[in-house]
Amino acid sequence: MNSASLTRSRRGLLTNEPLILLALVLVGLYFAREVLIPLAMALTLNFLLTPAVILFERLRLRRVSAVVLVVFMASAVVGGVGFIVTRQLIGIVNDLPNYRDNIHDKIAALHAPASGPLSQTMTSIEEIGETFSSEENPAGEAQTSSNLVHGGRTREQTRQKTEARPQPTPVVVVTPAESRQQYLKELLRPVMKPLATLGMVLIFTIYMLLKREDLRNRLLLLAGVGRLNLMTQALNDAAERISRYLVMNVLVNASYGVIFAIGLYLLHVPNATLWGALLAILRMVPYVGTMIAGVATIGFTLAVFNTWWTPLWVFLLFAVLEIAVSNFVEPHLYGSHTGISALALVTMAIVWTLLWGWPGLIVSTPLTVCLIVFGRYVPQMSFLHILLGEEAELAPQAHFYERLLAMDQTEAHNIADRFLEGRGLVDLYDEVVMPALIMTEQDRHKGVLDEVRSSYLFQSAMELVAELADYRSPAAEPACSPNEVPARTNPVICVPASDQADEIVATMLAQLLEHCGHKTMMLPSAALSSEILSRLAEEPGTILCISAVPPFAFAHARSLALRLRQSVSENHIIVGLWNTPGDKDMLRERFGQSRPYTVVATLHEALAQVKECDQQAARAIGRASALEAARN
């Protein structure tokens, strides 16, 4: 068993199979919901109340006093608002019978008209239904008559015999009177479970506020000493995201309620402040709470007002506010502050509701934030961050490669154009085009990319490079700005090591060198005849640049470098092992006898090395001129 297999066996099945681990977690969340629901609610309240506790502690209050004060104030606010809203709602419900006639008129007005095509259609449907329901079976009646004649009986005789029979005595079930204990038990049963949950939430919240450092230390110990940095970042990230979400949620809902109340007041709706406060409170329950508050408000206006205009204006006010907040305000604020995509918000709200019911819907967003942070810092769960997180955009090089795979050359070139905004051409080639070529070569050698698509990819990349031949970025290329280009530049010959990808990168390098004022030429390795190599040996100032794209870059580059070094011993040879990691000096030593002048991994480095060769040549010429002048 090798070391990798041994490591995987030590980690266990659950670590190697994140989907199995996720399934077990979901099962545990469902069956342990009686305890986890209060714990999750308390955790949410802890994120909301901790800043207030820290504030009181800075005012020289002790931890216990600060926690008691904050919990008391929060309970007083929640209890007071809940009592006032509930009392006013009960009063409104008790007043609804006074609007019975108005409600009856509204319902009657909703019925179909007595005349017209719609009314005739409805009448025809009702008549057809009555015909089918009242139709009797003729065959059954004939059979019944035959049986009566042959038996010598008539219906009247049968009826008389039936009446002559003694009738059964009806049974009446008498419910025994309930005792006072049973009555109280039945009365309190619906509220016992919510009260128990509320008590557990209060206990958990107080404990978390009092022992927040202790809980943090326990989580760090569970993660292990070697992961203290990672776990600390995860806890800070989760706390920051959830706190920002809760603050933004309170601000958005409060603003929503205020604007809605002002609109209702302008429409002369009674109890406008109550309906605004009710909407702000119910919006804490995502999606469902908003609809309940909106329907209740519109239903109230239908009952109170004689005309249809006021309910219509209330509906339009509610619809406009909801569309604006849900589609523009909340996605921007919640997405940017929590890192959750809009689709993930809706999906996870449904998932948590199925697991925990209404409490799961209330705490769905904070719990989803915890999952995203978990997926961000735990490699085995990284799919959670990808599926739920807001950052789902492909990198430019991956997007460029994906569009070329889809044979969408237009969009691929548009990606390159957008990338060029504010950047130089060398950045586009280094960060977008070259990585796409490397991915093409890797997929082609793995056998997962057919010849047609690989040819299309290479051809599209070559066309893009040709289109950019005359491109000049607004800012000069950093490797060859006008103030740094030597007065004398050496000619450069770019030689692809093997295949078409090497040739495309060599073309890009030659293009960039021409922009820097160099005379360049690109020669395929097959075109390096002995005659050409002899002429290059006579021009030691000419620089040779070898272009080699992974995955077989080193072998091809070493073979070509050895061939060149045997013929041109004085020329500078620069080997481009594109995007190859590692120490450049060690890579250079691996070439052995064919050791080049330097090894580079990017076009930016290649431009810098060519410029350095130019500067060396300029200094050498200057020294020679100085010696010649001294002799004279």
Side-chain angles (χ1 to χ4, degrees):
M1 181 181 293
N2 54 24
S3 59
S5 302
L6 184 59
T7 303
R8 287 194 296 268
S9 63
R10 288 177 179 175
R11 289 178 178 176
L13 177 63
L14 296 181
T15 307
N16 297 327
E17 298 294 339
L19 293 180
I20 297 177
L21 178 60
L22 180 62
L24 293 177
V25 169
L26 291 176
V27 172
L29 289 174
Y30 179 77
F31 286 103
R33 60 186 180 275
E34 299 297 335
V35 176
L36 294 179
I37 288 175
L39 187 61
M41 290 185 170
L43 182 62
T44 303
L45 289 176
N46 181 71
F47 284 116
L48 187 61
L49 299 179
T50 296
V53 173
I54 295 175
L55 177 62
F56 283 118
E57 287 180 346
R58 290 176 180 173
L59 297 177
R60 303 299 178 86
L61 283 179
R62 299 184 65 180
R63 172 69 60 83
V64 176
S65 302
V67 170
V68 171
L69 182 59
V70 169
V71 172
F72 176 78
M73 292 173 59
S75 302
V77 171
V78 173
V81 173
F83 175 77
I84 295 173
V85 170
T86 303
R87 185 176 180 180
Q88 293 190 12
L89 281 177
I90 293 175
I92 290 174
V93 173
N94 292 332
D95 290 340
L96 285 180
N98 299 329
Y99 307 104
R100 185 181 295 108
D101 295 337
N102 192 19
I103 296 173
H104 182 269
D105 294 340
K106 289 287 196 312
I107 296 175
L110 292 175
H111 290 172
S115 60
L118 180 60
S119 177
Q120 294 177 2
T121 302
M122 297 297 295
T123 303
S124 300
I125 293 174
E126 291 177 359
E127 291 177 353
I128 293 173
E130 292 176 357
T131 301
F132 278 103
S133 62
S134 61
E135 188 180 40
E136 295 181 357
N137 189 355
E141 291 182 355
Q143 183 66 30
T144 303
S145 301
S146 175
N147 292 339
L148 289 174
V149 171
H150 289 289
R153 297 178 182 178
T154 63
R155 293 182 180 178
E156 184 64 24
Q157 291 173 341
T158 304
R159 185 183 62 80
Q160 291 176 358
K161 289 184 178 182
T162 302
E163 291 178 354
R165 295 176 182 174
Q167 298 295 325
T169 303
V171 179
V172 179
V173 179
V174 179
T175 304
E178 289 184 341
S179 63
R180 183 172 299 179
Q181 291 181 346
Q182 291 176 341
Y183 176 75
L184 290 176
K185 185 177 180 180
E186 293 294 331
L187 181 64
L188 295 177
R189 180 178 296 176
V191 298
M192 287 299 294
K193 186 175 181 180
L195 287 177
T197 303
L198 182 61
M200 294 176 65
V201 170
L202 186 61
I203 293 173
F204 282 141
T205 302
I206 295 175
Y207 181 82
M208 289 180 181
L209 291 174
L210 289 173
K211 303 290 185 180
R212 60 176 184 268
E213 288 86 1
D214 179 69
L215 294 175
R216 186 183 188 92
N217 293 336
R218 292 178 186 275
L219 290 175
L220 293 175
L221 287 174
L222 286 175
V225 179
R227 298 182 179 179
L228 286 179
N229 181 35
L230 189 65
M231 194 63 183
T232 302
Q233 293 180 14
L235 291 176
N236 292 337
D237 192 4
E240 185 179 357
R241 291 192 186 197
I242 295 175
S243 298
R244 284 186 298 181
Y245 163 73
L246 293 175
V247 171
M248 296 308 302
N249 191 23
V250 171
L251 292 177
V252 169
N253 292 339
S255 303
Y256 194 125
V258 169
I259 296 174
F260 189 65
I262 293 174
L264 294 179
Y265 176 78
L266 296 177
L267 293 173
H268 305 287
V269 176
N271 305 104
T273 305
L274 169 65
W275 297 114
L278 185 65
L279 182 60
I281 294 172
L282 289 179
R283 284 196 98 251
M284 297 295 179
V285 182
Y287 312 110
V288 178
T290 306
M291 300 309 299
I292 293 175
V295 170
T297 307
I298 296 171
F300 174 73
T301 56
L302 286 172
V304 171
F305 292 92
N306 296 326
T307 63
W308 292 90
W309 286 108
T310 302
L312 179 60
W313 284 113
V314 172
F315 171 76
L316 291 177
L317 173 65
F318 174 74
V320 170
L321 283 176
E322 184 60 27
I323 291 173
V325 173
S326 299
N327 293 281
F328 299 99
V329 178
E330 287 183 334
H332 173 69
L333 293 179
Y334 293 173
S336 60
H337 286 82
T338 62
I340 309 176
S341 67
L343 179 61
L345 276 174
V346 180
T347 305
M348 294 309 296
I350 296 174
V351 171
W352 287 113
T353 304
L354 293 175
L355 287 173
W356 289 355
W358 295 109
L361 182 60
I362 296 173
V363 298
S364 61
T365 301
L367 293 178
T368 305
V369 170
C370 294
L371 288 179
I372 291 177
V373 173
F374 186 60
R376 181 178 182 181
Y377 290 95
V378 179
Q380 291 81 4
M381 292 295 172
S382 59
F383 66 93
L384 291 174
H385 184 261
I386 296 173
L387 292 177
L388 304 177
E390 186 185 28
E391 303 170 359
E393 187 176 356
L394 288 173
Q397 63 271 21
H399 198 189
F400 180 78
Y401 179 56
E402 185 272 332
R403 284 295 84 199
L404 290 181
L405 285 175
M407 295 188 174
D408 187 357
Q409 185 178 11
T410 302
E411 180 59 24
H413 287 195
N414 289 338
I415 294 170
D417 293 338
R418 290 193 295 268
F419 186 87
L420 275 174
E421 296 177 0
R423 294 184 177 92
L425 193 59
V426 64
D427 297 322
L428 173 67
Y429 288 162
D430 269 337
E431 300 178 27
V432 178
V433 181
M434 191 187 299
L437 292 174
I438 293 173
M439 286 187 282
T440 303
E441 282 290 277
Q442 291 173 344
D443 290 344
R444 189 170 69 88
H445 287 289
K446 290 177 184 177
V448 296
L449 187 64
D450 58 82
E451 193 65 30
V452 175
R453 290 185 183 275
S454 60
S455 299
Y456 179 83
L457 282 160
F458 290 140
Q459 184 64 31
S460 298
M462 184 61 77
E463 290 181 5
L464 175 63
V465 174
E467 290 177 6
L468 297 173
D470 298 327
Y471 175 82
R472 294 294 186 275
S473 60
E477 300 293 348
C480 55
S481 58
N483 296 330
E484 297 181 359
V485 174
R488 181 181 183 277
T489 57
N490 293 317
V492 181
I493 295 180
C494 299
V495 185
S498 179
D499 52 20
Q500 193 170 358
D502 301 335
E503 181 181 348
I504 295 174
V505 181
T507 304
M508 293 190 295
L509 177 58
Q511 185 183 97
L512 293 172
L513 289 170
E514 288 179 356
H515 291 177
C516 293
H518 288 270
K519 293 181 180 180
T520 61
M521 179 184 298
M522 195 181 71
L523 288 176
S525 57
L528 293 174
S529 61
S530 56
E531 181 181 355
I532 293 178
L533 292 175
S534 299
R535 293 186 59 183
L536 289 175
E538 297 174 358
E539 301 177 2
T542 301
I543 303 171
L544 301 175
C545 292
I546 298 176
S547 171
V549 175
F552 303 111
F554 181 80
H556 294 152
R558 185 176 183 275
S559 175
L560 181 58
L562 181 60
R563 179 184 172 193
L564 291 175
R565 183 56 70 197
Q566 291 174 350
S567 301
V568 288
S569 57
E570 301 296 328
N571 298 72
H572 285 306
I573 298 178
I574 299 175
V575 176
L577 299 177
W578 309 121
N579 277 21
T580 300
D583 184 75
K584 304 300 185 297
D585 292 332
M586 292 182 62
L587 287 174
R588 179 172 173 269
E589 293 298 327
R590 289 175 58 190
F591 278 83
Q593 296 180 355
S594 62
R595 187 181 299 110
Y597 171 72
T598 187
V599 175
V600 296
T602 64
L603 294 174
H604 194 283
E605 293 177 0
L607 294 177
Q609 292 297 327
V610 170
K611 184 171 65 175
E612 183 178 337
C613 293
D614 291 338
Q615 293 171 349
Q616 289 180 2
R619 287 193 295 267
I621 294 175
R623 287 194 297 268
S625 300
L627 288 175
E628 185 68 23
R631 290 175 182 175
N632 296 333

